Amino acid sequence: GAIFPLCIGILREHVEPRRLPMFVGVLSGVMTVSAGLGLLLGGLIVDHLSWRWIFFTTALVGAIAWICVYVLVPTGKASTLERGTNFIGGLLFAPGIACLLLVLTKGQQWGWAEISTLSLFVVGASLLVAWIRSELRAPKPLLELRLLLDRNMLLAIVATILFALSWMQFGQVWSLLLQQPVSTGAGLGLSASAAGLVMQPQTFVALIGGPLAGWCMLRLGTRASFAGGALVLAGAWVAAIFWHDTIPVVVLLMVIMGLGSSFVVALTVTAVAQAAPKVRTSEAIGIMTLIRTLANSVGAIAVFYLLGISTVPGPDGRGHFPDAFSYGLTMSYIASGLALIGVLYLVFHRETRP
């Protein structure tokens, strides 16, 4: 969670502003592909070795990464914390966010109306309110929340929220749809490994989509690039409502979705980085990541609810699966959120020179 904001901060410090979108696009693409390869490698390790080797391998990769950072990453300008920084008030967000995430992830299991769930929500919300008040009043805040007052920064954060509420539920929808029995009238009946391979193209095309997003941002501007990527991605989800019953069509949709999503991810990060002061870049990306995590949890609950609106029994009669109506409703919800991003950027974004 902390590495990506730091990487963007390093890029902002060492890369010319004009070239920043391209570098951020490359970094976003590499991280997306790496995440996909990590899942694939994890499956192979579990199948052929043991789940314990996932931890051994991760530790080894971490050690190699540490050496690479120490040897290859240029030393940045050292900065010291100012005396009087609002540490106590500034750190209130950590337990507050933890409480809310617990509510969002465990609320369905515990019961939304249970005393424990409601109490945890009240505690988390109270801590976040206290954190915001403390940071806004502090002369030297730990996290500068006033960064969100910038128009383009606020628009990028809103886009992040909508993206997390919609697109980031991709895996929840497609993994279920691809593995669902054909007899239910909506699934393709693939195995877990086959479903994973079918979804891989949307990961790998990020190596193209990320840098392409930076190129388009430099030549077409943020408004056109952002709106184009979001609307193409929304269109792919609309197409999926009607055509998702054959593997070739699904693979084509994965490619289009991968290009569109890598566009939006790279442009969102670039927009936040450009709107923040250089010394606050990592901080601004960290705030964006934090907000995205919360919105992702809310989106998961929304999609879970939509998929359960209308179900059909499984072939053995013991389980239930979403029917075509539920999938169509869920995909419409995701497409609407993505289309709204495009419309917001067309209407409200203000172009600035890098």
Side-chain angles (χ1 to χ4, degrees):
I3 292 177
F4 187 65
L6 290 174
C7 289
I8 300 300
I10 292 171
L11 284 179
R12 183 80 187 280
E13 184 175 344
H14 293 279
V15 174
E16 297 175 9
R18 178 73 181 168
R19 302 170 65 193
L20 182 65
M22 185 67 76
F23 278 85
V24 171
V26 171
L27 178 62
S28 299
V30 169
M31 292 195 69
T32 300
V33 172
S34 298
L37 289 176
L39 292 175
L40 186 61
L41 179 61
L44 292 174
I45 290 174
V46 171
D47 288 342
H48 298 285
L49 295 173
S50 164
W51 61 266
R52 294 178 178 83
W53 277 94
I54 292 180
F55 296 95
F56 297 147
T57 305
T58 302
L60 177 61
V61 171
I64 295 173
W66 186 91
I67 295 172
C68 291
V69 168
Y70 185 81
V71 175
L72 301 175
V73 175
T75 303
K77 297 178 181 178
S79 60
T80 57
L81 289 173
E82 297 178 290
R83 181 175 298 178
T85 300
N86 185 32
F87 285 109
I88 297 178
L91 292 175
L92 286 175
F93 81 93
I97 291 295
C99 290
L100 291 185
L101 286 176
L102 274 175
V103 170
L104 292 173
T105 55
K106 296 293 186 180
Q108 187 75 25
Q109 176 183 340
W110 294 345
W112 296 109
E114 291 296 321
I115 295 297
S116 57
T117 305
L118 295 176
S119 299
L120 201 58
F121 173 79
V122 171
V123 171
S126 300
L127 287 172
L128 287 182
V129 170
W131 167 58
I132 294 173
R133 288 173 59 88
S134 176
E135 288 289 74
L136 291 178
R137 291 180 174 181
K140 297 176 182 177
L142 184 63
L143 291 176
E144 183 53 86
L145 298 179
R146 292 180 182 85
L147 292 173
L148 301 179
L149 297 178
D150 179 88
R151 178 174 178 169
N152 287 347
M153 173 75 78
L154 182 59
L155 188 58
I157 294 298
V158 171
T160 297
I161 293 172
L162 292 172
F163 189 77
L165 289 172
S166 54
W167 164 257
M168 290 184 69
Q169 313 314 315
F170 166 91
Q172 184 179 353
V173 175
W174 282 104
S175 61
L176 179 60
L177 177 61
L178 292 174
Q179 296 178 67
Q180 186 168 316
V182 177
S183 60
T184 61
L188 275 73
L190 301 180
S191 65
S193 57
L197 289 174
V198 170
M199 292 190 292
Q200 279 302 311
Q202 68 86 26
T203 299
F204 289 114
V205 295
L207 278 179
I208 301 173
L212 184 61
W215 184 88
C216 290
M217 189 175 186
L218 290 174
R219 285 155 182 79
L220 304 178
T222 303
R223 177 187 289 110
S225 301
F226 223 125
L231 292 176
V232 165
L233 189 53
W237 279 97
V238 172
I241 297 173
F242 303 100
W243 302 291
H244 58 256
D245 53 351
T246 62
I247 298 300
V249 171
V250 172
V251 170
L252 177 60
L253 288 173
M254 293 297 107
V255 172
I256 298 172
M257 289 182 179
L259 288 172
S261 62
S262 59
F263 245 70
V264 176
V265 170
L267 292 173
T268 303
V269 174
T270 304
V272 171
Q274 289 182 335
K278 182 178 289 189
V279 296
R280 294 280 189 176
T281 300
S282 295
E283 181 179 332
I285 299 297
I287 293 175
M288 182 196 75
T289 304
L290 182 66
I291 293 173
R292 184 176 60 198
T293 301
L294 283 174
N296 183 34
S297 299
V298 175
I301 295 171
V303 166
F304 179 82
Y305 172 78
L306 291 172
L307 289 174
I309 285 181
S310 181
T311 61
V312 293
D316 56 2
R318 292 183 297 177
H320 284 78
F321 296 90
D323 62 9
F325 174 78
S326 287
Y327 279 116
L329 188 63
T330 304
M331 291 180 181
S332 298
Y333 157 79
I334 294 174
S336 298
L338 295 168
L340 184 55
I341 294 175
V343 172
L344 288 174
Y345 262 84
L346 283 174
V347 175
F348 295 108
H349 179 74
R350 180 183 300 157
E351 293 287 355
T352 57
R353 295 176 65 92

